[in-house]
């Protein structure tokens, strides 16, 4: 049976050997044995362990009489996690469901598998941390082509103009767009890019899932110094691109859902309190009136719009349209 203390000492020694090799000092089994006060045979076993366990690209330089990594970027990722941190790692896996239709899914899964594989064997946790007792429910998400996804990020990073076909809501065909991508945004698992559209001659946001035939051109662009992302979107509420200034939204929720409203932070600028009759007043500043409308509609008859007037009119118009369909 392995001695836990000896295994811990060995693990620490392996980390120190890795550090010595990465320092570029070309240590050998003799110098390492003297440094850590162990035999040359022990160091040789450690060297083999590095090769077998971590696939270390270890080579021996006969001229400098020492070990080095043929891949200078290699190092042992030492991961020391508490039980609580391990629980956090395990619960992140189901959360990746919101990225299941993007190339990030495979990247995140590989990253999490790598972290898990680096955990010391001595760590043990209750099995419920790692089983399927925890379930996250995500919204239905559109599928995004991997090439489009990766090209968008490349063009945004390099400030390259892109060309693509785009199918707008209610349309049957894709129409061509020439676009300078400024910023990529993920809203509840839906991916968008915001920037300058040459066709519209203004700042627009486009959904990655509605694009096709995307090309990254050789044309470069500069993001205007006066561009402010938060002037076009509301980080707390939505990405409906607009030039409108923020307006104060005031809502009154029925007492039957007061706890639900009170226990959440709906907006970073919100003011929220319960009235004597149990109803809840909620207000916040936003330029996302259209997004606010969709959110308010989800509460049905449990909410009354106080302000602004244009939100009231939009709400009435939507309700009338719905009633005509019944």
């Amino acid at each position: 049976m392995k001695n836990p203390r000896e295994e811990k000492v060995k693990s620490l020694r392996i980390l120190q050997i890795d550090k010595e090799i990465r320092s570029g000092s070309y240590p050998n089994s003799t110098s390492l044995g003297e440094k850590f006060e162990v035999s040359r045979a022990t160091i040789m076993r450690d060297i083999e362990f590095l090769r077998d366990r971590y696939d270390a690209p270890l080579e021996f330089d006969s001229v400098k009489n020492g070990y080095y990594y043929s891949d200078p970027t290699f190092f042992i990722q030492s991961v020391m996690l508490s039980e609580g941190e391990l629980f956090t790692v395990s619960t992140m896996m189901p959360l990746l469901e919101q990225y299941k239709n993007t190339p990030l899914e495979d990247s995140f899964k590989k990253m999490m598998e790598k972290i898990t594989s680096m955990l010391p064997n001595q760590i043990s946790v209750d099995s419920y941390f790692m089983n399927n007792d925890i379930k996250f429910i995500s919204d239905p998400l559109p599928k995004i082509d991997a090439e489009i996804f990766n090209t968008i990020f490349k063009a945004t990073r390099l400030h390259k103009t892109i060309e693509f076909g785009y199918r707008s809501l209610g349309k049957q065909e894709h129409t061509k767009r020439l676009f300078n991508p400024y910023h990529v945004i993920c809203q509840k698992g839906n991916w968008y890019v915001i920037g300058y559209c040459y066709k519209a001659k203004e700042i627009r946001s486009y959904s990655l899932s509605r694009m096709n035939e995307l090309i990254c051109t050789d044309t470069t662009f500069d993001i205007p110094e006066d561009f402010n992302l938060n002037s076009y979107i509301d980080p707390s509420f939505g990405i409906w691109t607009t030039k409108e200034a923020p307006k104060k939204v005031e809502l009154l929720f029925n007492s039957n859902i007061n706890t639900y409203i009170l226990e959440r932070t709906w907006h970073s600028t919100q003011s929220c309190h319960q009235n004597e009759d149990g109803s809840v007043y909620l207000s916040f500043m936003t330029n996302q009136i259209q997004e606010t409308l969709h959110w308010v509609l989800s509460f049905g008859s449990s909410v009354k719009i106080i302000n602004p007037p244009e939100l009231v009119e939009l709400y009435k118009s939507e309700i009338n349209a719905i009633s005509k369909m019944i």
Side-chain angles (χ1 to χ4, degrees):
M1 182 178 294
K2 294 182 179 180
N3 187 310
R5 183 178 182 281
E6 290 180 358
E7 287 298 307
K8 183 176 181 179
V9 171
K10 176 183 177 181
S11 297
L12 293 174
R13 187 173 63 247
I14 292 293
L15 292 175
Q16 290 299 314
I17 292 174
D18 167 68
K19 183 178 180 181
E20 289 292 317
I21 296 173
R22 286 188 290 108
S23 71
S25 60
Y26 289 86
N28 55 40
S29 56
T30 301
S31 63
L32 289 171
E34 293 175 352
K35 182 177 181 64
F36 300 116
E37 299 181 351
V38 295
S39 67
R40 181 177 180 277
T42 296
I43 294 298
M44 292 304 297
R45 285 194 293 271
D46 291 341
I47 293 296
E48 288 305 309
F49 184 82
L50 273 169
R51 288 194 175 110
D52 296 339
R53 173 65 177 80
Y54 294 103
D55 292 324
L58 264 173
E59 301 290 344
F60 188 84
D61 190 311
S62 57
V63 175
K64 296 183 179 179
N65 191 33
Y67 292 100
Y68 69 97
Y69 289 140
S70 57
D71 179 359
T73 65
F74 175 83
F75 69 96
I76 296 177
Q77 296 92 339
S78 174
V79 180
M80 300 298 177
L81 298 180
S82 67
E83 188 170 288
E85 290 169 330
L86 182 58
F87 171 72
T88 301
V89 169
S90 68
T91 56
M92 284 179 65
M93 296 302 290
L95 281 173
L96 299 184
E97 290 182 7
Q98 65 179 312
Y99 302 107
K100 62 186 177 183
N101 291 329
T102 76
L104 289 181
E105 178 187 15
D106 288 338
S107 297
F108 281 151
K109 283 185 176 179
K110 289 177 182 178
M111 178 186 70
M112 296 307 299
E113 288 170 358
K114 183 177 291 186
I115 290 176
T116 302
S117 69
M118 292 187 293
L119 292 174
N121 293 329
Q122 294 87 346
I123 287 183
S124 62
V125 296
D126 290 339
S127 60
Y128 76 85
F129 279 178
M130 304 301 287
N131 64 20
N132 294 320
D133 291 346
I134 301 172
K135 177 65 177 177
F136 292 88
I137 300 175
S138 61
D139 292 334
L141 298 175
K143 186 174 180 59
I144 300 175
D145 181 86
E147 185 174 352
I148 287 177
F149 192 89
N150 293 326
T151 303
I152 286 289
F153 277 89
K154 174 185 175 182
T156 303
R157 184 177 69 255
L158 300 178
H159 290 188
K160 295 285 189 179
T161 299
I162 56 176
E163 295 179 0
F164 58 88
Y166 193 75
R167 181 175 177 175
S168 302
L169 287 175
K171 301 297 182 180
Q172 307 235 353
E173 304 293 334
H174 288 76
T175 56
K176 291 297 181 181
R177 299 285 196 281
L178 189 64
F179 187 77
N180 293 340
Y182 292 172
H183 201 96
V184 178
I185 306 165
C186 178
Q187 181 189 24
K188 300 177 181 178
N190 293 289
W191 292 85
Y192 303 86
V193 60
I194 187 171
Y196 181 78
C197 176
Y198 286 86
K199 182 178 181 179
K201 297 181 180 180
E202 63 180 4
I203 301 297
R204 289 285 181 90
S205 60
Y206 292 107
S207 171
L208 272 59
S209 63
R210 299 171 192 160
M211 297 178 176
N212 72 358
E213 300 179 355
L214 190 146
I215 299 173
C216 182
T217 72
D218 293 328
T219 304
T220 59
F221 65 86
D222 293 320
I223 298 178
E225 293 183 1
D226 60 352
F227 173 75
N228 182 356
L229 179 65
N230 292 342
S231 296
Y232 295 91
I233 69 170
D234 182 344
S236 298
F237 231 75
I239 60 101
W240 190 284
T241 310
T242 176
K243 293 180 179 179
E244 297 293 326
K247 296 180 180 179
K248 187 176 183 179
V249 173
E250 295 181 275
L251 306 169
L252 186 66
F253 292 88
N254 293 348
S255 58
N256 61 328
I257 59 169
N258 54 15
T259 301
Y260 180 77
I261 300 301
L262 290 167
E263 67 187 1
R264 288 164 169 76
T265 300
W266 300 100
H267 198 281
S268 59
T269 66
Q270 78 175 39
S271 173
C272 186
H273 66 262
Q274 182 171 299
N275 300 317
E276 291 184 3
D277 63 357
S279 63
V280 175
Y281 170 86
L282 174 69
S283 68
F284 52 86
M285 299 293 296
T286 184
N287 61 358
Q288 299 290 306
I289 300 301
Q290 193 68 40
E291 291 288 317
T292 302
L293 171 65
H294 296 155
W295 176 69
V296 169
L297 284 167
S298 69
F299 293 101
S301 61
S302 294
V303 61
K304 177 182 179 181
I305 303 172
I306 302 173
N307 272 310
E310 66 181 277
L311 180 58
V312 174
E313 292 305 314
L314 284 172
Y315 185 83
K316 289 180 179 179
S317 176
E318 191 69 19
I319 294 298
N320 287 334
I322 293 173
S323 64
K324 292 178 181 178
M325 297 177 65
I326 299 175

